[in-house]
Amino acid sequence: MTGEKNAAPNKNSLRGFEVVDAIKAELEAACPSQVSCADILAIAARDAVVQVNGPSWNVRLGRRDSLSANGSLANTALPSPTESLAAIIAKFGALGLSELDVASLSGGHTIGRARCSLIASRLYNFSGSGQADPTMDTSYLQLLQSFCGPSSTASSSSALVNLDVTTADTFDNKYYKNLRASKGLLASDQVLSSTPGATTIAYVNTFAANQKAFFSAFAASMIKMGNISPLTSQDNSQIRTNCHFVNAYWFVIHHNTSALRNHYK
């Protein structure tokens, strides 16, 4: 499959679709074709953050679901865990997001996990040097090496490591405190604080010292990110009845073929 779920940045990373499916099923039973999968995802993201003691924000509703997915765009537009800060800022900037948004949205890594395979190069062969990433705290490096093992096995390891070594399951500002202590798990996290002269350093320092400032900035950036794509019109979208598939009737109407008719009987 070539959809966005199976794009390289998402594969083996995105989870929880069964929860969205359950919500969608209940909504379809109560009020068919009224609430899009896109709106469900936006609300679920907010509520998940609240459930782990994070901030809340107003979610703009009225989205409709796309008629297609773009796996190739996901592969190129989503930042990778090994990218430079300049590349990350450029990708955010292409969507109208600022360096403040980069710093605040990265704070979502205060919860979650990452595979050892994503940090193997930092632990053993950073930038082809044959050495560990010099920006990583020595004690933290040793802890990760003891868990992930040598590079020959870490590169294929599916073992999960906490993104936030301090409070992995609580939405708080410890992520930024970890960055200041050189304990960011992903290279794309640590560059916020370790890139010389970076504007994001000031944001990291502010958020590490003031959790309310982080919560406020994160909520504002989530609203901003949620408004990147305009609420779509009925001409190029739909409200899916099943979040995994475009509605069958759309295919039949727009691709009037017997094969599709038979497939969606």
Side-chain angles (χ1 to χ4, degrees), residues 225-248:
M225 185 171 65
N227 291 336
I228 289 174
S229 296
L231 306 184
T232 50
S233 70
Q234 294 188 15
D235 294 334
N236 61 357
S237 64
Q238 62 183 202
I239 294 178
R240 295 188 184 187
T241 56
N242 183 314
C243 294
H244 293 267
F245 307 102
V246 174
N247 296 341

Side-chain angles (χ1 to χ4, degrees), residues 82 120-135 187 191:
T82 59
S121 63
R122 290 196 77 197
L123 304 183
Y124 301 100
N125 191 26
F126 184 67
S127 298
S129 66
Q131 303 294 322
D133 184 345
T135 66
V191 292

